Amino acid sequence: MFKNYILITLRNLWKNKLFVITNILGLGIAIACCIVAYLNYEFNSEFNAFHENGEKIFKVNCFRNVNGNELKYGIVPAPMGPAIASEITGVEDFVRYSGTTGNFKFEDDYFPTYTGYVDENFTDIFTLEIVKGDKNALSDRSNILLSERQAEKFFPNENPIGKGITIQHNSSKLEEYTVAGVFKNLPLNSSFRFEALTRFENYVDLREFDDTSWEQLIQVTFIALNDPSKYKDIESQLGKYIPIQNQAREDWKINAYYLEPFLTMAQNMEEVREAYLWEALNPAAVIAPNVMAALILLIACFNFTNTSIAIAAKRLKEIGIRKVLGGHRSQLILQFMGENLLLCFLALMAGLVIAEAFVPAYSQLWDFLDIKLSYTDNLDFLLFLGALLFATALFAGSYPALFISKFEPAGILKGSLKLSGTNNFTRTLLTLQFSISLIALIAGVIFTQNAEYQRTLDMGFDKDQTIFTSINGEEEYNALKNELMQHPKILSLAGSQNYISWDWQSINIGYKERKQDIDGLMVGTNYIKTMDIKMIEGRDFIENSATDRNESIIVNEQFLKDYGITEAVGERVVLNDTLPLTIVGVVKDIYLRGFWGPVYPTFFRPVKEENFNYLTFKVPEQDVPEMRDFLKTSWSKVITDRPFIDRSLQGNIQEAYTVNNNIKLMFIYLSIIATLLSVTGLYTMVSLNILKKLKELGIRKVLGASAFNIAHKINREFLIILSIASVLGSVAAYFLVDMLLASVYEQYIDMNVLAFMGGIFLMFMLCGFTIGYKVYTAAIENPVKALKDN
C-alpha cells in the first residue's frame, strides 16, 4: 500500500508540475529568509558564550540619580575590584580592563591597533585561546599578546615570539613590548574587540593615575564568583563601598552598585552609560528580520494552501473512487499530508541552496556581523531545520488535506460537487497575503525615504566642508596652523579639546534647584564659526579672553528647555557645584550623537591652546579631497615623530549612512520577495479560476459578451481582494513601520501619504501586469474551442 501512495504522489506532482515548482520555489525562498533570521538571532544570543567560565563572571556597574532618574553606568572606582575580591566571601577573583587605540610602529609605518590592558589573571578567568607562546605571558609587564590577524600583519611568514613592538600614542608617549604570545582572533559576537593585550599596570602608567585612589574611575571591572547563583547576596554587600566612593568624588555620587551577569551583559548594554565594551545587536536588528521572515513564510504557506485547494478539483474522482472502494478518510489525509511533507522537504532543500547565497550576502551588509551556514557542528541549527520542515508542512498542508478528504463519494461521482478555483477561505488567505506584501512595500518606501531624510538632515553643524585631525597640544597646533593657513582655500581654522560627533565630556551643571550631567565641548576661539554652528542669541567667545575662559559658557536651545530658562544671556549656572558661569550665547541645537539619539542639552566652554587635542579647518566642499592631501603634506613637514591620521566629519558619520543604506536595502529586498510571492499566488489563482470557468466564459462570448465584460468578470473578485488588502495593509503598516522606526532611531521621517500611495500603486501595478495577459488571453479566446474542450 505504501508503494501505491508513492506512485499516486509522484503521478499527481508530475501532472501539476508548474504549480509544484512554483510552490517549492516560493517556500524555498521563504525558508532561506527564515534561515538568515535564525542565524542572525543565534549570533546575537550567543554573544560572549565562547567563554568557558562565563556563568561565573559578573560586571560591576552602578546606579546614579540624575534629575530624579536612576541611570546605569559601567564605570566604577579603580580599587573596587581588589577590595571586593579580598573583603567579600564568595568572590573568587577580579579583573580590570581598559582599552585604547594606539599606533603600532614599524620603522616608518604606523598601524592603528586597539590594545586591551588587563590584570595578570585575565586568561585564567576569560577564555583566550593561545595558539603560540605562553598563556602566562602576562606575568611580565613587558610582554604583549597579539591576535593572529595582527601577528600575520606585522610579522608575515615569521615567528613573532620574542619580537619587539612599539606603541605610539597621540600624546607622543611610547610603549615598548616583547611579543610573548599569539591568541586566536576573537569572534565578532564578543564584547572584547582588542587586537593586542598587555598588563593593566601599563595603562596606569600611560594615563598617569593612582589605581589605589577611590577618586579614579576606570572603564571595566569584573569579578568571578565561586557560586554564581548567590550573586544577589554578593551584590547586597557592595553597598558598603558607596560612602567611600561618594566621599572621594562628591561631583560623581552614586546610589548603588549592582552586578551584571557577563553572559547577558551585551544584550543589556545599550541602556548602560560609559560601558566601554562592545554591545550586542540592537533589538530592532534581531526582531525585524525575524518578523519579516515569519511574514514571508506566511505568504508562502498561504500560496501553498491556496494552490493545493485550487487544484484539488482535478482529484475529486480519485477521492470518490477510493472512498467507494473502502478507503478511509484517515488514509486520504495521510496521503495528502505525505505529499505536502514531500513538497516541503523539497522546498527545504531549495531553501538551503538559496540560503548559501542569502547568508553571506546578509552578513556582508554589516561590519559587526559574521554568520555562516554550518551543518556539522551546530545541532541547534539542524533541530531548527527539522522543526521548520514539520511546522511548515503542518501549517501549509493540514487544511487542504482535511478539506479535500471530507467530501462524500456520492456527490463527487454524480458530478453534483464542484470545487471552484477560489472560495471564501482562499480569498481570505489571498487578502492576507497582499496585506502583508503591502506592509513590506510601504516599509521599503518609508525606509528609502528615511535614508535620504537622514542623509540631508541638518545636524546643526557643517559635516561636509570640515576636515580635522588629532594633535597634541599647543606646539603641534601652532606649527600645523602656520603651515595650513598659507593655503588660500582654507576658509576658517580652529582648535579644540573635544570634537563634535567624536569626543565630548559629561559635566554636572546646576541652575537653581536643577542639576544634571550635560554633554560639553571645550573649544578654542573660532571653533563655533568653523563648524558653522548657528548663533541665535548672544555672542561667541572673545579671542584670548581670560574672563571668558573662567566665567563664560555657551549653551544650545535644548539646554534652555531642560532647565526652563527663558531669558538666557546673562543667566548664571554652576559647574560641578563650585564654579559659577555666565551664559553669553545660545546656539542652535546640534545632534552630537547623530540621529540615533535625541537632541541633548549641550554646552561649549573656551579652553587654552595647550589643551588642544584637535585641529579643524573648513574648505569649499568641492576641494575637500585636495585639502586632505595638503593636510597630509603639511603634517609631514612639521610633525615628524607621529603618524598622520586622516579624518573628516563626513567620514565619522559615514558608518551611520552605511547602516541606513543597508537597512533600506534589506527592506527593499524583503518587499520584493514578499510581493513576488503574493503575485505568484495571485497568478496561480487566476490561472486556475480561468480553467474552471472556461465553459462559462465561452457561453458568455457566444451570447455576445465583449472582451471588456469578460475581463471584468474575471478580475472583479481580485480587485475586491486587492482593495480590502490595501486598507488592511495600510492600517497595519501605519503602526508597525512607525514602531520599527522608533525602535531604531530617535530622529526619523514621519509617516506620509506618499509612502502609502506609492506602496498601493506598486502593488496594483505589479498585479495588473501579472494577470493582465492571462485575463486578456481568456477574454479573446475562441468560444468554440472552450465549449468543445469542456
Side-chain angles (χ1 to χ4, degrees):
M1 185 171 68
F2 182 74
K3 180 181 178 182
N4 290 334
Y5 283 162
I6 296 295
L7 289 174
I8 293 171
T9 296
L10 295 177
R11 189 180 299 120
N12 180 63
L13 295 181
W14 180 253
K15 280 183 181 180
N16 300 284
K17 50 184 173 292
L18 176 61
F19 301 120
V20 166
I21 293 172
T22 301
N23 273 336
I24 289 174
L25 289 179
L27 271 177
I29 292 172
I31 288 172
C33 291
C34 290
I35 289 172
V36 172
Y38 173 82
L39 294 176
N40 182 69
Y41 167 81
E42 184 182 54
F43 173 88
N44 188 69
S45 64
E46 293 184 353
F47 236 85
N48 297 318
F50 67 95
H51 291 280
E52 296 175 2
N53 297 320
E55 291 184 355
K56 299 172 58 178
I57 305 170
F58 294 81
K59 184 175 181 291
V60 184
N61 289 345
C62 66
F63 288 107
R64 294 190 65 219
N65 192 307
V66 181
N67 298 322
N69 298 316
E70 196 168 58
L71 304 179
K72 296 179 179 180
Y73 284 81
I75 54 177
V76 296
M80 190 157 185
I84 294 173
S86 62
E87 298 173 7
I88 298 181
T89 304
V91 178
E92 184 179 299
D93 214 338
F94 75 94
V95 170
R96 293 169 296 181
Y97 169 87
S98 288
T100 184
T101 299
N103 298 293
F104 278 27
K105 182 179 180 182
F106 292 90
E107 299 178 352
D108 295 329
D109 292 328
Y110 295 88
F111 304 89
T113 301
Y114 193 79
T115 303
Y117 298 82
V118 297
D119 287 301
E120 178 183 349
N121 59 342
F122 180 87
T123 54
D124 296 325
I125 295 178
F126 293 94
T127 299
L128 194 71
E129 186 177 341
I130 305 298
V131 295
K132 289 181 182 177
D134 184 7
K135 180 181 179 180
N136 300 315
L138 293 181
S139 60
D140 187 339
R141 286 185 56 181
S142 66
N143 287 341
I144 194 168
L145 304 176
L146 298 181
S147 68
E148 288 180 299
R149 184 167 35 247
Q150 297 299 76
E152 180 60 29
K153 179 179 179 180
F154 300 143
F155 306 102
N157 304 317
E158 294 183 62
N159 184 1
I161 306 301
K163 301 284 186 179
I165 202 166
T166 301
I167 303 178
Q168 184 172 43
H169 297 273
N170 289 337
S171 61
S172 295
K173 288 185 177 180
L174 297 176
E175 294 182 279
E176 302 288 346
Y177 293 107
T178 300
V179 178
V182 177
F183 59 86
K184 186 177 180 180
N185 295 329
L186 296 172
L188 287 181
N189 55 350
S190 167
S191 289
F192 297 114
R193 292 294 176 89
F194 52 77
E195 295 283 357
L197 197 66
T198 186
R199 284 279 290 275
F200 185 79
E201 289 80 359
N202 297 325
Y203 183 79
V204 173
D205 292 344
L206 177 67
R207 299 301 189 194
E208 299 178 352
F209 66 86
D210 180 5
D211 67 336
T212 65
S213 170
W214 285 83
E215 186 177 359
Q216 179 62 50
L217 302 172
I218 61 169
Q219 293 179 6
V220 183
T221 299
F222 293 105
I223 59 172
L225 305 185
N226 293 320
D227 185 355
S229 66
K230 297 182 178 179
Y231 85 94
K232 282 295 182 181
D233 295 334
I234 304 295
E235 184 180 80
S236 65
Q237 299 180 57
L238 301 183
K240 66 180 181 181
Y241 300 110
I242 297 174
I244 302 173
Q245 195 273 332
N246 286 348
Q247 185 176 0
R249 287 290 300 269
E250 292 188 0
D251 63 325
W252 209 84
K253 292 185 177 182
I254 68 165
N255 299 346
Y257 290 108
Y258 73 97
L259 298 180
E260 181 76 66
F262 178 65
L263 293 182
T264 59
M265 173 190 70
Q267 285 80 8
N268 301 327
M269 205 178 298
E270 186 177 358
E271 59 189 33
V272 179
R273 298 190 176 194
E274 301 187 61
Y276 288 103
L277 294 172
W278 204 268
E279 65 186 52
L281 304 184
N282 185 291
V286 180
I287 295 171
N290 289 341
V291 171
M292 294 305 298
L295 292 178
I296 288 174
L297 184 62
L298 273 180
I299 293 174
C301 288
F302 291 165
N303 268 354
F304 189 101
T305 301
N306 274 343
T307 304
S308 297
I309 293 174
I311 64 177
K314 297 182 178 181
R315 306 184 67 181
L316 288 179
K317 288 184 179 179
E318 171 198 333
I319 295 168
I321 292 171
R322 288 179 65 175
K323 283 195 170 185
V324 168
L325 294 176
H328 297 289
R329 186 184 181 194
S330 59
Q331 293 174 319
L332 291 171
I333 292 174
L334 181 63
Q335 170 76 46
F336 290 122
M337 287 299 296
E339 292 177 8
N340 294 335
L341 183 61
L342 176 60
L343 284 178
C344 290
F345 177 76
L346 294 175
L348 178 64
M349 296 297 102
L352 290 173
V353 173
I354 297 169
E356 291 287 348
F358 278 17
V359 169
Y362 184 79
S363 186
Q364 289 173 13
L365 281 176
W366 315 101
D367 293 336
F368 50 78
L369 190 65
D370 182 22
I371 58 175
K372 295 182 178 68
L373 273 175
S374 175
Y375 308 104
T376 57
D377 58 353
N378 193 339
L379 178 61
D380 288 344
F381 177 60
L382 296 179
L383 292 175
F384 165 76
L385 292 179
L388 184 63
L389 170 63
F390 284 100
T392 303
L394 184 65
F395 183 80
S398 58
Y399 181 81
L402 295 172
F403 179 70
I404 297 168
S405 62
K406 74 177 182 179
F407 297 138
E408 294 298 329
I412 296 173
L413 298 177
K414 285 180 180 178
S416 59
L417 176 65
K418 297 294 183 182
L419 189 60
S420 61
T422 57
N423 56 41
N424 288 335
F425 182 75
T426 58
R427 293 184 190 108
T428 300
L429 293 186
L430 198 59
T431 302
L432 291 176
Q433 280 182 258
F434 277 100
S435 298
I436 295 171
S437 297
L438 184 58
I439 294 171
L441 279 171
I442 292 173
V445 175
I446 286 283
F447 275 91
T448 300
Q449 291 177 329
N450 189 65
E452 179 62 21
Y453 165 78
Q454 292 182 341
R455 189 185 68 80
T456 58
L457 178 68
D458 181 7
M459 302 182 75
F461 56 87
D462 191 330
K463 61 183 184 295
D464 301 316
Q465 295 181 254
T466 51
I467 301 171
F468 76 102
T469 191
S470 300
I471 56 169
N472 184 25
E474 183 176 11
E475 184 178 343
E476 289 188 0
Y477 170 73
N478 286 321
L480 197 55
K481 173 185 175 181
N482 293 335
E483 187 71 24
L484 291 171
M485 289 305 292
Q486 297 178 29
H487 201 291
K489 290 185 178 178
I490 291 183
L491 306 176
S492 181
L493 183 145
S496 62
Q497 181 177 338
N498 305 112
Y499 204 84
I500 285 177
S501 188
W502 181 267
D503 172 22
W504 58 86
Q505 303 180 22
S506 182
I507 300 177
N508 189 270
I509 293 182
Y511 174 75
K512 294 182 178 179
E513 301 301 320
R514 185 179 180 86
K515 295 180 182 179
Q516 68 182 83
D517 291 342
I518 301 295
D519 294 333
L521 296 103
M522 311 298 288
V523 301
T525 306
N526 216 35
Y527 183 81
I528 290 176
K529 175 186 174 183
T530 301
M531 294 303 302
D532 199 21
I533 300 170
K534 300 296 186 293
M535 184 74 65
I536 59 176
E537 186 180 349
R539 63 171 175 84
D540 200 346
F541 298 121
I542 300 172
E543 187 171 3
N544 298 323
S545 170
T547 302
D548 269 357
R549 278 199 300 270
N550 296 326
E551 302 177 7
S552 299
I553 187 173
I554 293 175
V555 300
N556 71 337
E557 297 169 287
Q558 189 63 42
F559 185 101
L560 305 184
K561 294 175 185 175
D562 273 29
Y563 284 92
I565 300 175
T566 53
E567 299 293 332
V569 176
E571 282 286 353
R572 305 272 281 181
V573 297
V574 180
L575 188 145
N576 287 335
D577 292 326
T578 57
L579 181 62
L581 300 170
T582 301
I583 298 176
V584 298
V586 179
V587 297
K588 186 177 178 180
D589 283 335
I590 59 175
Y591 291 92
L592 198 62
R593 292 172 170 81
F595 35 73
W596 307 108
V599 173
Y600 285 97
T602 307
F603 73 87
F604 296 85
R605 287 202 63 211
V607 66
K608 292 182 179 180
E609 292 183 354
E610 64 190 52
N611 296 315
F612 283 176
N613 294 325
Y614 303 98
L615 178 145
T616 304
F617 60 94
K618 182 178 181 179
V619 299
E621 186 174 352
Q622 67 271 15
D623 297 318
V624 167
E626 174 192 342
M627 296 308 296
R628 245 192 224 113
D629 293 337
F630 179 68
L631 171 61
K632 185 175 183 180
T633 302
S634 300
W635 180 285
S636 64
K637 289 182 181 179
V638 299
I639 303 176
T640 57
D641 62 339
R642 289 199 302 115
F644 167 71
I645 301 176
D646 184 13
R647 287 173 173 161
S648 70
L649 255 182
Q650 189 64 261
N652 268 3
I653 60 179
Q654 185 59 46
E655 180 182 352
Y657 292 154
T658 301
V659 169
N660 270 351
N661 189 59
N662 288 345
I663 291 175
K664 176 190 75 175
L665 289 175
M666 183 177 71
F667 275 97
I668 288 175
Y669 290 145
L670 288 173
S671 65
I672 291 173
I673 291 172
T675 305
L676 285 178
L677 287 175
S678 293
V679 166
T680 301
L682 178 64
Y683 181 82
T684 301
M685 296 301 298
V686 171
S687 300
L688 292 169
N689 236 21
I690 290 173
L691 287 175
K692 298 301 176 187
K693 295 182 178 181
L694 277 179
K695 184 176 287 188
E696 175 190 342
L697 297 178
I699 294 171
R700 287 177 177 273
K701 189 81 171 178
V702 169
L703 295 176
S706 66
F708 175 81
N709 287 333
I710 292 175
H712 175 71
K713 172 68 177 176
I714 299 173
N715 278 334
R716 185 175 62 181
E717 69 172 314
F718 296 111
L719 288 173
I720 294 173
I721 287 172
L722 292 176
S723 299
I724 296 173
S726 297
V727 175
L728 294 178
S730 296
V731 172
Y734 181 84
F735 294 101
L736 291 176
V737 177
D738 185 69
M739 184 171 59
L740 187 58
L741 282 167
S743 69
V744 180
Y745 309 104
E746 285 286 345
Q747 305 297 327
Y748 57 87
I749 195 169
D750 293 329
M751 305 296 284
N752 58 89
V753 175
L754 181 61
F756 288 83
M757 296 304 295
I760 293 171
F761 172 77
L762 285 173
M763 184 176 73
F764 271 89
M765 183 183 70
L766 290 170
C767 291
F769 281 127
T770 301
I771 65 177
Y773 175 75
K774 194 72 179 176
V775 171
Y776 175 76
T777 304
I780 64 172
E781 182 72 51
N782 187 335
V784 175
K785 183 177 183 298
L787 294 174
K788 279 184 178 180
D789 291 342
N790 288 273

